[in-house]
Amino acid sequence: MKYKNSIVAIGALTLFLSCATNPFTGNKTLALVPNSQLFPTAFAQYDEFLTENKVIRNTKDADMVKRVGQKIAVAAERWLDANGYQGYLKDYQWEYTLVDDKTVNAWCMPGGKIVVYSGILPVAGDEAGLAAIMGHEVAHALANHGQQRMSAGMLQQLGAVAGNVVIKDQETLNLFNQAYGVGSQVGVMLPFSRSHESQADEIGLYLMAIAGYEPMEAANLWRRMSAQSGGGAPPEFLSTHPANETRIKNIEAHADKARSEARKFGVTTFKT
Ligand SMILES: [Zn+2]
């Protein structure tokens, strides 16, 4: 009975707090940790990551990461403006950082802090491949996937005390670390669910197309990524993003739609 009551309480709480529909997914997003608490935590974790890692600045590659990242961010903002969500990203503080690290990895924290590891550049191959990676990672952030994971963690912990929704900064940090796996290894993301992965693939395709990149290059990227796993242990990025035939087929199936969407923004050529 006690158990049942707490479920009801959590249900009521969830309904009350999750009324915001995410513009990118059309889903009601479970966001128990408000951005006003989430973003400062993410920014602090990002700053700490930068002090502990070697940032590459003012090279051709670093410039490319910045250029592609900016285009993806602008694409997201243009799409939101066109769909009636002006100012949706006003609290974002976009940053696009390349770090000197052989790990095949990249991520985007909530609030727009993007890190690309130099080890992923050979797999990215070129600018369009990098746009596919960054589009996908930005999509996770825009779709609030990490935040949903934090909210799920919070619900799990709250249990019977679900009435108390005011969480302290330390709790935000703990939830953040659990959701993003940054407790022991900063910046190593835990795998997202399969549905979150396909959502990020789809949104990422739209972003890269509006940014002027050929969406089919995303399929090529995942093929290269997949080929990387032959032999030794799969690269970090692949362990959290399994690249299988289904994933590639889904991307190919959405490429036309992504191009048509981009045409609405006057984009008629797509860089390969
Ligand atoms: Zn992903």
Side-chain angles (χ1 to χ4, degrees), residues 26-43:
N27 296 342
K28 301 256 186 222
T29 302
L30 184 58
L32 299 181
V33 183
N35 284 350
S36 58
Q37 252 172 315
L38 177 60
F39 286 8
T41 305
F43 297 160

Side-chain angles (χ1 to χ4, degrees), residues 59 104 112 202 255:
T59 65
V104 178
E202 205 178 318

Side-chain angles (χ1 to χ4, degrees), residues 136-137 140 192 197 200 240-241 247:
H136 178 93
E137 289 307 307
H140 275 305
F192 285 105
E197 279 308 315
T240 53
H241 297 81
R247 167 166 229 155

